[in-house]
Amino acid sequence: MLGGSLFIASARFILSITGVSLFYLLISRQRFDTKKTVLSYICFCIVLSLALCAWYIADWKSFVKMGVLTAYILFSIFSILMSNDTIFLCIYKLALVFYLLAVFLISGIEVSIIFFNRNVWADIIIRIILVAVMTYFINKYLKEPIKEFSIYVEEELDWFSATIMIISLVFGIGYILNPISTEHTPFRIYQIIMNFFLTGVLQLLIYRLYLHIGKEQEYQKENQLMQMNHRLLERQLELLEESVASGRRICHDIRHHNTVIAEFVHRKQYEELLKYLEEYGQITDMGMQKRICANTAVNNILSAYTRKAEKENIKVTIEAELERDFPVPNIDLVTILSNAYENAIYGCMEVLKYKNQECFINIFIKKKNNKLVICCSNTCLIETEIMHGQPKPEFTGGIGVSSIVKTAEKYGGEYDFKNDNGIFIFRLIMNMPHKIQT
């Protein structure tokens, strides 16, 4: 420590707190709007700086030992409360921020000691320069990559990794800031550089590790999308095969019906002909496929999956109200509905595999004002678990949920999944675009 008057100490406190606040604000997702967040951080910095100044005056020795640690524990708690990130992601970002804090704080002290004969103003000026450079660098080069990378960390970071990061960071910085060590030799400079290097390498390794894990997750999702497309193609081929078979059957039947009609006309049996045509019309109506909704793509995909469900003795109830020219593109509607229906059938089949129980699937699709409402409920195993707001892959067949979520988020949709004592419920409300998207 370089010491100094209360004014100098206050300048250092404010500069350090301001620096870490700027760094954290740039890389974190805030719980509140920008104006409220900035005002909250300003008030916190003022109150914390005043409290530290009072401690500095009252007991300088205890402040030197515990002041910095206490200040940044309080900052960590405040930042976590202000952030909209998960606890693990907050810990990761705080570790990065405190590493940058150690760089500009210790660099200022060491440079002022070695080159400026412990001049406190040199320390402050160096800190200001480093904070400005780091802020510019983070804002220009690291802000967006870290926010994008945060998705991977949020999903994969665990207590063990977070604990190792904090312990290594605290011990490394604590060693460098040890007030007992006042001798500045080339060996101590070497120790400081190595501490910074090893701590920085730890941050980089963690970044690379979770980036690799995140990319693997992305590849798995892409694989799931490919499997989903394969299943959709299978359903479409089934529809095509049924249409071809139906067309052949109709052509074959028409020849017989034309022969019968011609025979009735030839014999002038017009009353019998009318009766025959009436019976034929009734049979034709009975054999026609039931229309689920006016939208052709949705009607076809729901019909295909309904036939599949009924083959498995699953009771299906569908209430769908979608017009032919719907604002949401058919590919997105089919993606959501086919995956939801596929998962519902899979859930019912798992129940049928282990229990002798009647299974059902209820699907509700309706347009309300400028919103599309979709609800799908089905029988499922009571053991079906929800993790991070989504069902685990082993309870859905491993396909579909990520596609539903991705498509829903495309339209600013809100969704939830839950297991209501053996009834799995999926609900989705999403905005409809003003015009068809391409």
Side-chain angles (χ1 to χ4, degrees):
M1 293 294 179
L2 297 175
S5 64
L6 177 61
F7 176 76
I8 296 297
S10 301
R12 285 179 175 153
F13 300 153
I14 294 172
L15 180 59
S16 299
I17 294 295
T18 302
V20 293
S21 298
L22 282 173
F23 299 159
Y24 193 77
L25 283 171
L26 286 173
I27 64 175
S28 65
R29 293 179 301 182
Q30 300 306 320
R31 189 181 301 274
F32 309 105
D33 60 83
T34 303
K35 183 179 179 181
K36 185 175 181 179
T37 300
V38 172
L39 288 175
S40 299
Y41 270 92
I42 291 173
C43 293
F44 173 78
C45 291
I46 292 173
V47 172
L48 182 60
S49 297
L50 291 174
L52 292 175
C53 288
W55 188 359
Y56 184 86
I57 295 171
D59 190 353
W60 183 83
K61 290 184 178 180
S62 66
F63 174 82
V64 169
K65 293 180 179 179
M66 298 296 297
V68 175
L69 179 61
T70 303
Y72 292 106
I73 288 176
L74 293 175
F75 174 82
S76 300
I77 295 172
F78 175 78
S79 298
I80 290 172
L81 293 176
M82 293 294 293
S83 176
N84 201 34
D85 294 321
T86 62
I87 183 65
F88 293 135
L89 189 54
C90 287
I91 290 173
Y92 175 83
K93 291 181 177 180
L94 284 169
L96 177 59
V97 166
F98 289 152
Y99 174 75
L100 298 176
L101 160 71
V103 171
F104 77 74
L105 190 152
I106 297 169
S107 297
I109 293 174
E110 296 298 327
V111 170
S112 64
I113 290 174
I114 297 172
F115 298 103
F116 298 97
N117 195 25
R118 295 178 177 267
N119 187 293
V120 293
W121 290 109
D123 172 35
I124 292 174
I125 292 172
I126 292 168
R127 293 189 191 188
I128 292 174
I129 293 172
L130 289 176
V131 168
V133 171
M134 290 178 180
T135 302
Y136 173 80
F137 184 80
I138 291 172
N139 187 59
K140 188 171 181 63
Y141 299 105
L142 294 181
K143 182 178 178 180
E144 294 305 321
I146 287 179
K147 286 187 176 181
E148 183 179 357
F149 168 71
S150 297
I151 299 172
Y152 303 146
V153 178
E154 192 171 27
E155 293 177 351
E156 303 297 336
L157 192 65
D158 55 16
W159 277 112
F160 178 77
S161 301
T163 303
I164 293 298
M165 273 198 308
I166 295 302
I167 290 176
S168 62
L169 195 65
V170 169
F171 274 102
I173 297 174
Y175 173 78
I176 298 170
L177 291 176
N178 183 7
I180 298 176
S181 179
T182 57
E183 184 180 0
H184 288 78
T185 63
F187 180 70
R188 171 159 172 78
I189 300 300
Y190 170 78
Q191 287 179 315
I192 292 173
I193 293 173
M194 288 306 299
N195 268 276
F196 276 134
F197 173 76
L198 293 175
T199 309
V201 167
L202 174 65
Q203 291 276 350
L204 180 61
L205 287 176
I206 291 174
Y207 175 86
R208 297 291 299 176
L209 170 64
Y210 287 104
L211 182 64
H212 175 74
I213 294 174
K215 291 297 182 182
E216 286 294 321
Q217 293 291 335
E218 290 294 328
Y219 294 148
Q220 290 181 15
K221 290 179 181 178
E222 291 296 329
N223 183 47
Q224 289 181 358
L225 288 174
M226 292 176 64
Q227 293 184 48
M228 180 204 72
N229 290 331
H230 177 71
R231 292 192 179 187
L232 287 177
L233 287 173
E234 286 182 340
R235 299 289 87 78
Q236 293 295 331
L237 286 173
E238 288 177 6
L239 290 172
L240 181 60
E241 289 173 356
E242 290 176 2
S243 298
V244 171
S246 177
R248 289 174 178 172
R249 186 173 59 254
I250 290 172
C251 290
H252 181 268
D253 291 343
I254 285 176
R255 289 198 298 270
H256 291 290
H257 293 308
N258 287 340
T259 302
V260 173
I261 292 171
E263 187 65 23
F264 276 124
V265 173
H266 179 72
R267 297 184 180 186
K268 298 182 180 181
Q269 296 175 332
Y270 301 117
E271 292 184 3
E272 289 81 354
L273 173 60
L274 290 174
K275 184 177 179 181
Y276 174 80
L277 291 175
E278 183 179 350
E279 292 176 353
Y280 178 67
Q282 293 175 354
I283 294 173
T284 303
D285 291 338
M286 291 174 59
M288 288 183 63
Q289 179 179 315
K290 184 180 178 182
R291 186 186 186 192
I292 298 175
C293 71
N295 187 283
T296 304
V298 172
N299 183 80
N300 288 342
I301 203 68
L302 292 179
S303 298
Y305 278 106
T306 299
R307 287 193 293 275
K308 180 179 178 181
E310 289 174 346
K311 288 179 182 178
E312 301 293 338
N313 295 320
I314 301 171
K315 183 180 179 182
V316 178
T317 303
I318 300 177
E319 183 180 349
E321 298 180 10
L322 291 181
E323 60 265 28
R324 181 181 180 85
D325 297 322
F326 200 69
V328 179
N330 288 333
I331 185 63
D332 293 329
L333 289 173
V334 169
T335 296
I336 294 173
L337 294 173
S338 61
N339 281 293
Y341 211 155
E342 183 92 32
N343 292 340
I345 293 173
Y346 181 87
C348 290
M349 291 176 66
E350 287 295 293
V351 173
L352 293 171
K353 186 187 300 183
Y354 299 106
K355 299 179 182 179
N356 185 18
Q357 178 181 343
E358 182 178 347
C359 294
F360 69 87
I361 297 175
N362 294 330
I363 297 176
F364 175 85
I365 309 167
K366 192 169 185 179
K367 171 186 173 184
K368 291 187 177 181
N369 298 325
N370 65 332
K371 305 283 186 181
L372 175 63
V373 181
I374 298 175
C375 180
C376 179
S377 59
N378 61 274
T379 313
C380 70
L381 295 173
I382 296 179
E383 297 81 7
T384 302
E385 297 180 23
I386 306 295
M387 183 176 66
H388 302 310
Q390 299 179 18
K392 288 186 175 181
E394 57 265 33
F395 296 106
T396 61
I399 298 176
V401 174
S402 60
S403 301
I404 293 173
V405 171
K406 186 175 181 179
T407 307
E409 290 176 346
K410 177 180 176 182
Y411 298 95
E414 298 181 4
Y415 55 87
D416 71 335
F417 303 85
K418 70 174 182 177
N419 180 359
D420 186 9
N421 195 30
I423 305 298
F424 187 83
I425 302 174
F426 159 62
R427 295 178 294 186
L428 168 66
I429 300 177
M430 70 181 196
N431 301 315
M432 292 188 297
H434 296 294
K435 59 182 180 178
I436 298 178
Q437 299 182 0
T438 58

